[in-house]
Amino acid sequence: MAERYQTLKRAYSGYHRNQAGPNLELAQVGPDTPGGEYLRRFWHPIELSSSVQDRPVALRVLGEDLVLFRDLSGNLGLLDKHCPHRGASLEFGKITECGIQCCYHGWHFACDGTLLETPVHPDARYAGRLFHAAYPVRETAGLIFAYMGPPDRTPDFPHFDFFDDDVEGRILYKRPSPCNWIQTRDNEVDNDHGYFLHTVMAGIQLTTAHQELAKINLFETHSGLITTQSRRVGKNIFVRINAMILPNLSRIACIEDGQGNMVFDRRGPIVHWSVPVDDENCFVIGWNTVAANLPDKKLNAYMDRERAAGHDLYTHPQLNFTFGQDGERSYAERQRIPGDWDAWVSQGPIHIHALEHLVPGDGAIVRYRGMLRDGIRAVAAGEDPKGLVSRVTRPLETYASNTAIPVPQASTLADDAALIDEVERELVARTLDGTYRDGYRHPRQEQESSVETDR
Ligand code: FES
Ligand SMILES: [Fe+2]
């Protein structure tokens, strides 16, 4: 058998295809797995606030079956789904002033898991001494977050900069994907797919700027990495920056055509996490800020121009951030115009990294997975992983931006590539050291241009 599995070197070699399995160190999310322990060091959004009303919500997160509820006093509880008496699900429980009562025999639990009473079993001595498995929760920005790690390592709740933004225009969502969570995050740092999946295949999803291949790059940050897409668009140099914040949060810059004048437009309208349900399922949860919901406000240069030209932004195909992000469309439609969801789900329940043939353009994917692996090993060694927020005093910057500035084309393609490189490096440096707030002007920038700086 040994000679059966080889690197394929000739046509019709299917019999010799590699049969490698998944990288379980990265893929597993359950309790007592290295990846699961790593993920349990972070706060994760687990549900939309709007979904937790007067009934308990059954959830599966990180391979654990849970029930989330809001008691009649307004406090949130996140408990193991199965009652510790005889295992009935608390999703059928009765919500009380101070917790939830199991439907079967009425055992009553506080939001922190304390067993308050056992009304049907007055002789039981558990009340006040038995604690059902519970996790702390926090509610902010229309999302409910949970921390499922060791209590003595609970980090501060992260104060991301976008929590301070105006919430107007946000559409919150939670979208399931039947695949390992890393597949949806690989997609966020895979900038090359914008050219083919969203432009050649779809033709309508991104702007004309994306019809040219961009130079892509990655840079490490204090909390993860940013990726850049830099290209010339006519008289402009156009640099787009997206952020990946460890372990599973991404912030995406606006869709932009690079034809306006703007520096550090930092309104990243898409903010979302990918949260594992188990090894083979996850959900993407967060929000899009939809231009059509902001009739009196600027969202970005491209959208402003489209609006001024009389286009309806709500139905505008290039500004429909929801296209292809879930499995709701028909199979035939998804085959005709596949979206991100179709690409990452089609990689399989757990994508097998060992079967990939990566190229230099996949560098951000390699680096991101390497960061996950380093974090998993740091936790296994008793250390804090990169990206863990602890005792922070100011908002954490999340960096997504667009910049389009009029710098005349150099005389040769090589010189212009070097010029684009120079602008990109300067923009990244200013992004990371905070001097973006002072704006940016290239020495060769056209004098007559008026350039706006956001934030
Ligand atoms: S199974 Fe829950 S109270 Fe008996
Ligand atoms: Fe995409």
Side-chain angles (χ1 to χ4, degrees), residues 36-313:
E37 286 304 305
Y38 166 66
L39 291 166
R40 280 168 174 74
R41 293 302 180 84
F42 298 89
W43 288 88
H44 298 286
I46 59 168
E47 190 52 273
L48 307 178
S49 293
S50 58
S51 298
V52 187
Q53 302 287 337
D54 58 348
R55 290 184 294 124
V57 176
L59 294 169
R60 187 165 167 79
V61 181
L62 297 176
E64 298 186 38
D65 290 316
L66 305 166
V67 161
L68 176 64
F69 63 94
R70 196 186 298 275
D71 73 14
L72 298 178
S73 305
N75 300 311
L76 288 165
L78 180 64
L79 304 180
D80 182 21
K81 179 173 162 179
H82 297 286
C83 173
H85 174 221
R86 292 212 312 106
S89 173
L90 295 177
E91 73 192 286
F92 299 107
K94 178 181 179 214
I95 289 176
T96 69
E97 282 295 330
C98 56
I100 190 168
Q101 252 181 313
C102 178
C103 69
Y104 215 1
H105 313 94
W107 285 26
H108 188 187
F109 305 98
C111 291
D112 66 0
T114 306
L115 178 62
L116 300 172
E117 55 179 333
T118 56
V120 180
H121 307 116
D123 51 344
R125 301 210 177 137
Y126 290 132
R129 296 193 297 127
L130 187 145
F131 298 89
H132 191 36
Y135 294 114
V137 290
R138 288 279 299 266
E139 189 168 26
T140 191
L143 301 173
I144 297 169
F145 292 76
Y147 173 73
M148 295 171 62
D152 60 336
R153 306 294 289 260
T154 307
D156 283 358
F157 187 77
H159 182 176
F160 295 112
D161 52 5
F162 48 70
F163 285 152
D164 298 335
D165 290 347
D166 190 348
V167 300
E168 197 178 351
R170 279 184 191 169
I171 293 182
L172 288 111
Y173 53 81
K174 179 183 183 185
R175 300 178 182 135
S177 278
C179 66
N180 185 260
W181 71 279
I182 295 175
Q183 284 154 237
T184 76
R185 298 300 88 176
D186 283 349
N187 175 79
E188 304 295 284
V189 296
D190 175 355
N191 277 334
D192 275 341
H193 84 272
Y195 170 76
F196 205 84
L197 179 71
H198 295 310
T199 305
V200 176
M201 289 297 292
I204 56 168
Q205 289 180 276
L206 300 176
T207 63
T208 50
H210 295 266
Q211 289 171 340
E212 299 289 334
L213 282 175
K215 176 184 151 297
I216 61 175
N217 212 340
L218 71 126
F219 300 85
E220 289 202 22
T221 70
H222 66 88
S223 58
L225 58 88
I226 56 175
T227 58
T228 53
Q229 302 169 55
S230 305
R231 40 166 73 90
R232 175 163 289 286
V233 178
K235 65 180 174 50
N236 280 353
I237 289 176
F238 172 33
V239 178
R240 186 167 192 236
I241 296 178
N242 292 325
M244 174 64 73
I245 297 107
L246 291 168
N248 57 348
L249 164 63
S250 60
R251 186 167 200 191
I252 308 295
C254 278
I255 303 300
E256 177 54 62
D257 65 358
Q259 293 175 15
N261 288 353
M262 57 183 182
V263 176
F264 297 115
D265 184 305
R266 288 168 55 79
R267 289 162 286 194
I270 300 176
V271 172
H272 55 199
W273 293 255
S274 179
V275 179
V277 170
D278 52 33
D279 296 353
E280 299 184 359
N281 292 277
C282 64
F283 52 84
V284 175
I285 184 168
W287 61 79
N288 295 345
T289 306
V290 178
N293 288 359
L294 302 171
D296 303 321
K297 297 189 175 194
K298 291 172 59 169
L299 190 63
N300 77 341
Y302 174 63
M303 294 182 192
D304 292 342
R305 271 182 273 118
E306 289 294 279
R307 179 158 38 209
H311 295 297
D312 177 355
L313 299 190

